[in-house]
Amino acid sequence: MSAAEPENTATRRGGRGARRELRSAIDTTMLPALKRGLPPVEPMSRDQIAQIDAASLAILEEVGVVFRDPVAIADWKRAGADIRDGDRVHLDRAMVRNLIATIPETFTYHARNPANNLPFGRDHSIFVPMTGAPFIEDVTGERRNPTLADLADVHKLSHMLPAIHSAAHHIVEPYDHPISQRHLRITYSSMKHSDKTFMGMTTSGRNGQDVMDMCDILFGPGYIDTHPVVTGNCNGNSPLVWDETMLGAMRAFCRRNQPVLCSPFVLGGANTPASTAATMAQLNAEALSALAYTQVVNRGCPAIYGHFLATISMKSGAPMAGTPEISLLNYMTGQMARHYGVPWRSSTMTSGPKAFDAQAGYESATTLMSVILSGAHYMWHAAGWMEAGMTCSLAKFVADAEQCAMAYRMAEGIRWDDFDAALASIRDVGPGGHYLGHPHTLEKFQSAFFMPELADNNSVEQWRAEGAIETPQRAKARVRELLTAYQEPRLDPATDEALRDYIARREREIPAADALNEEF
Amino acid sequence: MSAAEPENTATRRGGRGARRELRSAIDTTMLPALKRGLPPVEPMSRDQIAQIDAASLAILEEVGVVFRDPVAIADWKRAGADIRDGDRVHLDRAMVRNLIATIPETFTYHARNPANNLPFGRDHSIFVPMTGAPFIEDVTGERRNPTLADLADVHKLSHMLPAIHSAAHHIVEPYDHPISQRHLRITYSSMKHSDKTFMGMTTSGRNGQDVMDMCDILFGPGYIDTHPVVTGNCNGNSPLVWDETMLGAMRAFCRRNQPVLCSPFVLGGANTPASTAATMAQLNAEALSALAYTQVVNRGCPAIYGHFLATISMKSGAPMAGTPEISLLNYMTGQMARHYGVPWRSSTMTSGPKAFDAQAGYESATTLMSVILSGAHYMWHAAGWMEAGMTCSLAKFVADAEQCAMAYRMAEGIRWDDFDAALASIRDVGPGGHYLGHPHTLEKFQSAFFMPELADNNSVEQWRAEGAIETPQRAKARVRELLTAYQEPRLDPATDEALRDYIARREREIPAADALNEEF
């Protein structure tokens, strides 16, 4: 298990003392769950919300949704749904409304460190890093398949970045371990390198079960049945299909009361109509069908309205990020999710380019602003996403996290607490004066105005004298600093051993032979 | 006058035929003034708006505002204001409210090409390029002092970019002409190279008068007295000071019914209190005092609530862009301007870095989103702004303009016109199908989803095969294309000659001796 173990950075990078000193200079305290103080952007009138709702429910009644999974079909039959053509489920609107009514609007994510528990839903939102990258752009700038050691590094960064609320799961795909056993190492790495909440693999029902079993070990038997601790994601095969792999994993999570993201996968114009409003109706129908199914599996279990949003390039067919329709679909989804009273997920810092360049900045910031202003709760893919998700850039990971911290501050809204004292300083300073030396400024400056650490605002002369360093280089230096200063959160040794024993046993049971990815 | 004349690009760059062909492939049709379909972000309750209003009016009554200008003081005396200490004007709230009540909430900008007229205010907004850069980053990547030829180029780009509604004025400072005469050449370049609306120099009252005289020539005598055609900007010396230069220019514009931006210049924490809410109260007091003065000068003339927003780096004292407080101040300013029923201006694509890198993208997109979602009408500095305004980057100019086009599309809101037809395609395609060949998709794809031309969404293999080109390089190629395809809009030869005669006469009158900038 050496690859998933913490590296002995203290010895390698200059000693425990130096590391402690660096650490004390870096604030790694996690921000609480964002409590929103800004009203969301709401482009639809009540009538228009009703129009989308009605169109979606008509799709579910008349077109139906395919559940490509015998267990789900049997479940739906028992629940009284109208099944046609073997696996096409037609849901009437009363049944859909009745089922989704029991999804909790809010709950609390419990972390193994209770200081990192997170209220979730309604006014409370969290940032979660990107996941699923088959490539990493490391601090040398090389783009390559990642390893378990790389995965450990991104879990460490997630642990240390204040605006990041979760360690997620396979932020990068560890190519040095067999696919069939990978979910075990990924889960262990999330649990081991951070004491924030995390995500669980949904690559099959059985793999989902492994995640639940490991959560039982980490939190103690039965704890998770009454406490959400981990999140699964289930992508739809849009249009209007859910497959066996996703549904099997969904059941593993729902049965143990762990929330799943019910995520239609929108490639606007390719698997949805060429219309933002009709795309919304389709994705809403898809999300509702999966949300309803979570309640068939386990009435009252938490579930999260999801989607992945991209529009399609006419030139290449590639998914695009940061387009106006993505922003509009985020605002609309927020309105629909609030209409149904369920928490919802979006994708936050998506971008298309191969380099961490201006386009990456434009696209990520545009999407971040639309996600945070749409009131999304589970703000996934909030750090590292490059090349349409193919690459996780370590430099972008830390730069994105700083952008999230700024958006967080914005979304908290206006602070009025010292308004009167601040107004008094206007009288003190008067016309033509300045505030830099005023006692109120000295006391409040640091908390009043956000100070990004990765931004360069020096003079051109100073910037040149310091080597004309651009954003990716500054961010890479920050990655190195953070990894040097990283301190592993304490994990009870008996729990750690039990987790390792579980993995060892399961790896004996799961064939690994043909499972190493050829690309590695 | 050769430097301000159009270059004979047809001859230099491959002939009239090639230029015509390239031009026909590039859509340079100006978008109409944005008609907003998204509700603005409104973080303040009615009570909080009233709180800012009350605090601002108390500042105007009790602290007062310095008008460092004998003419303004005489005007204020005649208007019945309480003047103390020579130039400190104390305005009671009834007088302020009464004065600003006559500012028109909407008007139309008239361009010399009536197809480019722009409704303005309330739901209608426009994008205006950056101005005032003492440096240009040209298509070779060199950072240097600009010339009149460079100024002509950025006016040409402004003319051709669809989301840019104005040619502005000194987008870059033409260092090859004496400062004292520069405003004449700048105005001529705006008028000559574009038939969109533009801005007028406010570097002194006399210079403002020259702009008015040139507008009389361009539009015909007396036309501008009843038609807004040009915009001036007057910066405040925050806190609470307006100076003679700005006020003189303001009068030149107001008397001829041309709108001025009344722009407090916020460096948050340096010239305002260390509090977002109190900063809003101060800037609101400053803006109100200047808006009120426009109505003292000419009751009923158009005027625009303005500001420049930056927060200050604790490290260097440099202004920062894209920070959360800037977004919040934009949202708040929108609420205050709507409260008073006056149109307002913001700064759109500001950024700090010296390179057109990821930071530039993050900061510009963040600010753009906050400006467009705050409902700003005069969205200035919408293209080119780098290095805190010190440099205009040609690459960023065209890339920013594409971001503006996307934000424009977003702010138009959701299109419902073909909702039923698009829903029908969901029934046609059904579960598991795809939409790419569906007749509705073929008909609507192009209009349904925005397709950015400068974004790279190719595979990494294709991207590498094509030379691993990053955003700045793609944008530079676009600049070259546009300048090659540029066609000068027709200007009546007699009008052109009259403008040149005016400039020649004024340049004989204005001493140029010591006026060439030393840096050139």
Side-chain angles (χ1 to χ4, degrees):
Chain A
M1 293 212 43
S2 64
E5 282 178 297
E7 298 166 75
N8 195 341
T9 48
T11 316
R12 269 210 354 247
R13 292 182 175 118
R16 208 173 288 273
R19 198 181 63 179
R20 197 178 304 121
E21 200 177 314
L22 181 56
R23 196 163 55 235
S24 70
I26 300 176
D27 186 4
T28 60
T29 311
M30 190 180 85
L31 293 167
L34 167 63
K35 187 162 191 308
R36 292 169 178 280
L38 282 187
V41 174
E42 304 211 312
M44 292 192 287
S45 66
R46 259 186 221 196
D47 284 353
Q48 289 168 333
I49 292 171
Q51 219 177 332
I52 295 290
D53 177 58
S56 303
L57 293 172
I59 291 168
L60 293 178
E61 280 178 352
E62 296 159 29
V63 181
V65 178
V66 168
F67 283 74
R68 279 199 190 122
D69 173 41
V71 179
I73 293 300
D75 287 342
W76 275 122
K77 270 189 191 145
R78 268 195 307 281
D82 169 16
I83 318 287
R84 303 179 206 165
D85 305 327
D87 59 3
R88 196 141 159 180
V89 180
H90 293 254
L91 298 170
D92 79 52
R93 57 194 67 203
M95 180 189 252
V96 173
R97 286 189 175 135
N98 176 276
L99 282 169
I100 64 168
T102 46
I103 297 171
E105 193 172 357
T106 63
F107 57 84
T108 297
Y109 273 111
H110 292 264
R112 70 173 169 97
N113 176 357
N116 292 335
N117 289 356
L118 298 162
F120 182 82
R122 212 174 285 147
D123 288 346
H124 284 98
S125 300
I126 64 173
F127 285 115
V128 181
M130 80 161 289
T131 71
F135 294 93
I136 188 169
E137 189 181 80
D138 64 23
V139 286
T140 72
E142 193 191 349
R143 178 185 182 274
R144 57 176 171 76
N145 288 137
T147 63
L148 280 166
D150 292 318
L151 182 62
D153 279 351
V154 284
H155 283 147
K156 292 172 189 175
L157 293 176
S158 304
H159 181 63
M160 298 180 83
L161 291 163
I164 299 297
H165 293 107
S166 166
H169 48 354
H170 60 148
I171 298 174
V172 295
E173 271 293 332
Y175 272 61
D176 55 347
H177 202 73
I179 289 180
S180 59
Q181 304 173 345
R182 219 177 260 171
H183 65 287
L184 300 163
R185 303 294 181 114
I186 291 165
T187 305
Y188 180 76
S189 182
S190 302
M191 289 173 163
K192 174 87 170 165
H193 296 110
S194 174
D195 57 11
K196 299 182 180 179
T197 190
F198 52 95
M199 297 184 77
M201 299 297 287
T202 49
T203 34
S204 74
R206 186 65 191 88
N207 290 358
Q209 185 53 54
D210 279 329
V211 173
M212 296 303 117
D213 291 348
M214 290 177 73
C215 287
D216 276 334
I217 296 169
L218 187 67
F219 289 93
Y223 182 86
I224 71 167
D225 294 309
T226 49
H227 298 82
V229 303
V230 63
T231 309
N233 179 60
C234 294
N235 284 330
N237 291 3
S238 302
L240 300 168
V241 177
W242 296 94
D243 73 20
E244 188 167 5
T245 304
M246 292 279 110
L247 293 167
M250 188 184 280
R251 283 189 293 272
F253 279 69
C254 292
R255 283 180 191 138
R256 302 299 307 276
N257 271 309
Q258 300 308 303
V260 285
L261 314 172
C262 300
S263 306
F265 199 90
V266 170
L267 301 167
N271 64 13
T272 74
S275 148
T276 302
T279 294
M280 187 64 227
Q282 180 188 305
L283 97 76
N284 190 54
E286 292 167 346
L288 288 180
S289 68
L291 289 166
Y293 183 60
T294 64
Q295 304 304 298
V296 170
V297 174
N298 183 7
R299 202 75 212 244
C301 74
I304 298 172
Y305 187 129
H307 57 46
F308 181 83
L309 298 176
T311 58
I312 290 300
S313 164
M314 274 188 289
K315 283 188 238 165
S316 60
M320 300 191 297
T323 59
E325 294 77 24
I326 292 173
S327 297
L328 291 172
L329 286 166
N330 271 320
Y331 304 140
M332 295 169 90
T333 305
Q335 289 190 274
M336 297 314 298
R338 287 188 290 278
H339 176 68
Y340 301 121
V342 293
W344 70 286
R345 161 247 160 151
S346 191
S347 305
T348 306
M349 297 298 269
T350 53
S351 72
K354 268 50 67 187
F356 179 27
D357 68 353
Q359 181 187 342
Y362 282 136
E363 290 177 347
S364 298
T366 299
T367 312
L368 170 61
M369 289 292 277
S370 80
V371 166
I372 203 143
L373 290 171
S374 61
H377 302 109
Y378 201 89
M379 298 186 285
W380 196 8
H381 301 319
W385 184 285
M386 246 176 41
E387 201 198 329
M390 291 293 284
T391 294
C392 175
S393 153
L394 293 186
K396 189 166 184 288
F397 201 93
V398 299
D400 282 349
E402 184 167 85
Q403 295 297 314
C404 290
M406 287 207 277
Y408 179 109
R409 175 65 203 89
M410 180 192 81
E412 286 182 303
I414 304 153
R415 292 176 185 157
W416 294 90
D417 51 309
D418 73 334
F419 187 52
D420 292 336
L423 284 180
S425 73
I426 298 176
R427 287 163 198 270
D428 293 345
V429 169
H434 73 78
Y435 290 78
L436 291 171
H438 192 279
H440 180 268
T441 308
L442 297 173
E443 186 193 337
K444 297 288 185 178
F445 191 93
Q446 196 146 2
S447 60
F449 300 112
F450 193 100
M451 178 70 202
E453 301 202 10
L454 288 173
D456 158 51
N457 290 293
N458 288 334
S459 69
V460 68
E461 292 76 18
Q462 192 175 347
W463 180 71
R464 284 175 176 165
E466 290 172 2
I469 308 290
E470 299 192 13
T471 303
Q473 285 67 42
R474 286 198 299 279
K476 282 173 193 164
R478 182 73 175 168
V479 169
R480 285 197 192 91
E481 258 178 28
L482 285 168
L483 292 178
T484 304
Y486 173 75
Q487 187 176 40
E488 192 175 289
R490 191 181 174 282
L491 177 62
D492 171 59
T495 304
D496 196 358
E497 200 187 327
L499 286 169
R500 287 158 177 264
D501 286 348
Y502 181 85
I503 294 170
R505 175 172 70 77
R506 289 289 294 136
E507 291 194 346
R508 284 192 301 274
E509 293 167 8
I510 302 171
D514 57 344
L516 255 184
N517 194 303
E518 286 173 16
E519 287 173 76
F520 186 70
Chain B
M1 293 208 45
S2 63
E5 282 179 294
E7 296 166 75
N8 195 340
T9 48
T11 317
R12 267 209 358 245
R13 291 181 175 119
R16 206 171 289 273
R19 198 181 62 180
R20 198 177 303 121
E21 201 178 312
L22 180 57
R23 196 163 57 235
S24 70
I26 299 176
D27 186 4
T28 60
T29 312
M30 190 182 84
L31 293 167
L34 167 63
K35 188 164 191 308
R36 293 170 177 280
L38 282 187
V41 174
E42 304 212 312
M44 292 192 288
S45 66
R46 260 184 220 198
D47 285 353
Q48 289 168 333
I49 292 171
Q51 218 177 331
I52 295 291
D53 177 58
S56 303
L57 293 172
I59 291 167
L60 293 178
E61 280 179 353
E62 296 159 29
V63 182
V65 178
V66 168
F67 282 73
R68 278 201 190 120
D69 173 42
V71 180
I73 293 300
D75 287 342
W76 275 123
K77 268 189 191 145
R78 268 196 307 280
D82 169 15
I83 319 285
R84 303 180 205 165
D85 305 325
D87 58 4
R88 195 143 161 178
V89 180
H90 293 254
L91 298 170
D92 78 52
R93 56 195 69 204
M95 180 188 255
V96 173
R97 286 190 175 135
N98 177 277
L99 282 169
I100 64 167
T102 46
I103 297 172
E105 194 173 355
T106 64
F107 57 84
T108 297
Y109 273 110
H110 292 264
R112 71 173 167 97
N113 176 358
N116 292 335
N117 289 356
L118 298 162
F120 182 81
R122 212 174 287 148
D123 288 345
H124 285 99
S125 299
I126 64 173
F127 285 114
V128 181
M130 81 160 290
T131 72
F135 294 93
I136 188 170
E137 189 181 77
D138 64 23
V139 286
T140 72
E142 193 192 350
R143 178 183 181 276
R144 56 178 173 76
N145 289 136
T147 63
L148 281 166
D150 292 317
L151 181 62
D153 279 351
V154 285
H155 284 148
K156 292 173 188 175
L157 293 176
S158 304
H159 181 62
M160 298 180 84
L161 291 163
I164 298 298
H165 293 107
S166 166
H169 47 355
H170 61 146
I171 297 174
V172 295
E173 271 292 335
Y175 272 61
D176 55 347
H177 202 74
I179 289 179
S180 60
Q181 304 173 345
R182 220 177 260 173
H183 64 288
L184 300 163
R185 302 295 181 116
I186 291 165
T187 305
Y188 179 75
S189 182
S190 302
M191 289 174 162
K192 174 84 170 166
H193 296 109
S194 173
D195 57 11
K196 299 181 181 179
T197 190
F198 52 95
M199 297 185 76
M201 299 297 287
T202 49
T203 33
S204 74
R206 187 64 191 89
N207 290 358
Q209 185 55 52
D210 280 328
V211 173
M212 296 302 117
D213 291 348
M214 290 177 73
C215 286
D216 276 334
I217 297 170
L218 187 66
F219 289 91
Y223 182 86
I224 71 168
D225 294 309
T226 48
H227 298 83
V229 303
V230 63
T231 309
N233 179 60
C234 295
N235 284 331
N237 290 2
S238 303
L240 299 167
V241 176
W242 295 93
D243 74 21
E244 187 167 7
T245 303
M246 292 278 111
L247 293 167
M250 187 183 282
R251 284 190 292 272
F253 278 69
C254 291
R255 283 180 191 140
R256 300 300 307 277
N257 270 309
Q258 300 308 304
V260 285
L261 314 173
C262 300
S263 306
F265 199 91
V266 170
L267 301 168
N271 65 12
T272 74
S275 147
T276 303
T279 294
M280 187 65 227
Q282 179 188 306
L283 96 77
N284 190 53
E286 292 167 348
L288 288 179
S289 68
L291 289 166
Y293 183 59
T294 64
Q295 304 304 299
V296 170
V297 174
N298 183 7
R299 203 76 213 245
C301 74
I304 298 172
Y305 186 129
H307 57 46
F308 182 82
L309 298 176
T311 58
I312 289 301
S313 164
M314 275 189 289
K315 283 188 239 167
S316 61
M320 300 190 296
T323 59
E325 294 77 24
I326 292 173
S327 297
L328 291 171
L329 286 166
N330 271 320
Y331 303 140
M332 295 170 89
T333 305
Q335 289 190 274
M336 296 315 297
R338 286 187 291 277
H339 176 69
Y340 300 122
V342 293
W344 70 285
R345 161 246 160 152
S346 190
S347 306
T348 306
M349 298 297 271
T350 53
S351 72
K354 269 50 68 187
F356 180 26
D357 68 353
Q359 181 188 342
Y362 282 136
E363 290 177 347
S364 298
T366 299
T367 312
L368 169 61
M369 289 291 278
S370 80
V371 166
I372 203 142
L373 290 171
S374 61
H377 301 109
Y378 200 90
M379 298 186 285
W380 195 10
H381 299 320
W385 184 283
M386 248 177 41
E387 199 197 330
M390 292 293 284
T391 294
C392 175
S393 154
L394 293 187
K396 188 166 185 287
F397 201 93
V398 298
D400 282 349
E402 184 168 84
Q403 295 297 314
C404 291
M406 288 207 277
Y408 178 109
R409 175 65 202 90
M410 180 193 82
E412 285 183 303
I414 304 153
R415 292 177 185 158
W416 294 89
D417 52 309
D418 72 334
F419 187 52
D420 292 336
L423 284 180
S425 73
I426 298 176
R427 287 163 198 268
D428 293 346
V429 168
H434 73 76
Y435 290 78
L436 291 171
H438 191 279
H440 180 268
T441 308
L442 296 175
E443 187 193 337
K444 298 288 185 178
F445 192 95
Q446 197 146 3
S447 61
F449 300 112
F450 193 100
M451 178 70 204
E453 301 201 10
L454 287 173
D456 159 50
N457 290 292
N458 288 333
S459 69
V460 69
E461 293 76 17
Q462 192 176 347
W463 180 71
R464 284 175 177 165
E466 289 173 2
I469 309 289
E470 299 192 13
T471 302
Q473 285 67 42
R474 285 197 300 279
K476 281 174 193 163
R478 182 75 176 166
V479 169
R480 286 197 193 92
E481 258 178 26
L482 285 168
L483 292 177
T484 305
Y486 173 75
Q487 186 176 39
E488 193 176 288
R490 189 180 175 282
L491 178 61
D492 171 60
T495 304
D496 196 359
E497 198 186 327
L499 286 169
R500 287 158 177 265
D501 286 349
Y502 181 85
I503 294 170
R505 174 171 69 78
R506 290 288 295 137
E507 291 195 347
R508 284 191 302 273
E509 295 168 8
I510 303 171
D514 57 344
L516 256 184
N517 194 301
E518 285 173 19
E519 287 173 75
F520 186 71

